[in-house]
Amino acid sequence: MNLLEIAIYQNDRIIFQKIIEEMRGNYIFGRSYEKCSKFAQLLSEPTKVINLASAPAFVSNLHAVICEVHQEFHLIDGWGKYQSRNGVYVNQEKCDFRILQPNDCIHLGRKEVEIIYRKLEFDEQERERQTENSEFF
């Protein structure tokens, strides 16, 4: 199972948090729901808009896209000729494109907007379920 953990920080406090479990399809990240939605219509289904309206101004209206391609997730800074103003960083390295690997830490612009890509293997998922159902917890 693939998942994204999204957090927006302000003065070292989380002001927005979202977890997307069982990732499928495409994800568009930006501060403008309207612009992201228009772009989403051009992509294949399913495409989800992750509205970061509460993000600081350094996050672009359409900042980044994650696309599922042959069971891999590709991260793209902006789209086509429209790249974000302040870049996309994966594990502190600026990139325009990257095939995501488990535990990659993505920042949109600066460190205040953080997205962590996780991939749980079946054994890890089963272990989590067993822990949740354990009589000791």
Side-chain angles (χ1 to χ4, degrees):
M1 172 172 70
N2 300 296
L3 62 92
L4 288 177
E5 299 173 3
I6 305 164
I8 299 175
Y9 295 88
Q10 186 175 50
N11 300 325
D12 296 324
R13 280 188 25 241
I14 295 176
I15 61 169
F16 173 87
Q17 189 171 25
K18 181 178 183 90
I19 295 176
I20 299 172
E21 296 181 1
E22 299 186 34
M23 292 174 59
R24 294 190 199 308
N26 309 306
Y27 299 85
I28 302 173
F29 299 85
R31 283 190 359 212
S32 170
Y33 183 80
E34 181 181 330
K35 286 189 179 185
C36 291
S37 294
K38 283 182 183 177
F39 178 69
Q41 294 172 2
L42 303 174
L43 295 176
S44 62
E45 291 290 326
T47 298
K48 296 165 193 71
V49 172
I50 309 301
N51 186 15
L52 301 175
S54 60
F58 61 79
V59 174
S60 298
N61 288 329
L62 192 161
H63 200 103
V65 179
I66 295 177
C67 296
E68 183 177 18
V69 179
H70 304 296
Q71 299 178 340
E72 293 179 327
F73 288 93
H74 297 192
L75 172 69
I76 303 162
D77 180 2
W79 190 260
K81 65 180 183 176
Y82 300 107
Q83 286 190 314
S84 67
R85 288 185 309 274
N86 295 302
V88 173
Y89 296 81
V90 178
N91 304 326
Q92 300 180 354
E93 291 182 24
K94 191 172 197 275
C95 64
D96 297 331
F97 171 85
R98 180 173 174 119
I99 297 173
L100 293 176
Q101 302 299 315
N103 300 314
D104 272 349
C105 182
I106 303 161
H107 288 106
L108 303 183
R110 300 184 205 153
K111 293 192 177 203
E112 287 92 340
V113 179
E114 180 176 272
I115 303 167
I116 299 181
Y117 171 73
R118 301 213 190 272
K119 184 171 188 164
L120 299 178
E121 299 300 328
F122 179 75
D123 292 342
E124 292 176 71
Q125 293 176 44
E126 187 60 33
R127 196 171 324 129
E128 282 186 8
R129 273 195 285 277
Q130 288 175 356
T131 302
E132 290 172 2
N133 296 329
S134 171
E135 61 187 70
F136 299 108
F137 292 95

